[in-house]
Amino acid sequence: MHTMKLLVRGALVAALVAAFAHGLCTSRAGQAGKFDKLSEADRKAFSERFEKEIWPLFKRGGEDGCVGCHTSKQGGAALRMTGNPAKDFRLLVGQGFLIKGDAGSMLERIKDKDPKRHMPPANRPSWTAAETKILEAFVDDLDQKNR
């Protein structure tokens, strides 16, 4: 009987460790790693597209927008942007913040319904459905080239 209790306890501990490890691995955004697999030509094309299509959405709202918050010392601790679109594109791709379907990606955080995870926070202007679709199309296209 004692052996059975130890086996059950061991199995429970193993299951909890596995569940915890899985939870840590579900989001790759912001972690060290090689997420940028783009060719130089694709990186240049996507960087230019990012500056035209996505950067204005990140800049909108001034200090209350993505760039305003994530370049200040008060907010955006998980992601620190520079305010330079070309550098920030490389940073976002390189750190995994533009990975399709990743729980920690910018797109998933913008779409998240959980107020603790949703970006922007409740006290800042939310993205419209049309703005979200623009980012979603960009992330989809980037995903196709970044495999």
Side-chain angles (χ1 to χ4, degrees):
M1 185 64 151
H2 179 69
T3 305
M4 183 61 124
K5 284 183 182 178
L6 287 175
L7 287 172
V8 169
R9 229 179 256 153
L12 285 173
V13 168
L16 286 170
V17 167
F20 180 73
H22 174 72
L24 289 177
C25 295
T26 57
S27 173
R28 300 179 308 197
Q31 298 180 9
K34 179 97 172 93
F35 302 112
D36 183 355
K37 300 172 188 163
L38 296 169
S39 69
E40 284 303 316
D42 286 337
R43 189 175 299 104
K44 183 179 185 314
F46 274 102
S47 181
E48 289 169 0
R49 185 174 163 197
F50 176 84
E51 190 165 352
K52 286 181 200 162
E53 296 175 21
I54 307 304
W55 191 251
L57 301 175
F58 285 174
K59 289 280 294 181
R60 70 153 178 65
E63 289 182 13
D64 286 336
C66 302
V67 174
C69 181
H70 287 274
T71 57
S72 77
K73 293 192 185 332
Q74 285 79 20
L79 169 62
R80 187 70 61 214
M81 297 172 79
T82 68
N84 176 296
K87 286 181 182 178
D88 287 338
F89 172 73
R90 286 190 304 274
L91 175 128
L92 293 170
V93 171
Q95 291 188 7
F97 285 103
L98 294 174
I99 295 175
K100 181 178 179 175
D102 185 81
S105 73
M106 297 188 94
L107 178 61
E108 295 305 316
R109 296 291 301 270
I110 288 166
K111 292 172 31 177
D112 202 313
K113 301 292 184 215
D114 180 352
K116 292 179 183 172
R117 293 192 36 78
H118 179 77
M119 283 286 128
N123 63 338
R124 303 200 185 232
S126 284
W127 284 48
T128 66
E131 291 169 334
T132 304
K133 286 221 176 279
I134 292 168
L135 180 59
E136 193 165 28
F138 182 83
V139 169
D140 285 346
D141 293 346
L142 182 63
D143 179 63
Q144 292 297 311
K145 290 289 188 173
N146 198 31
R147 291 181 182 208

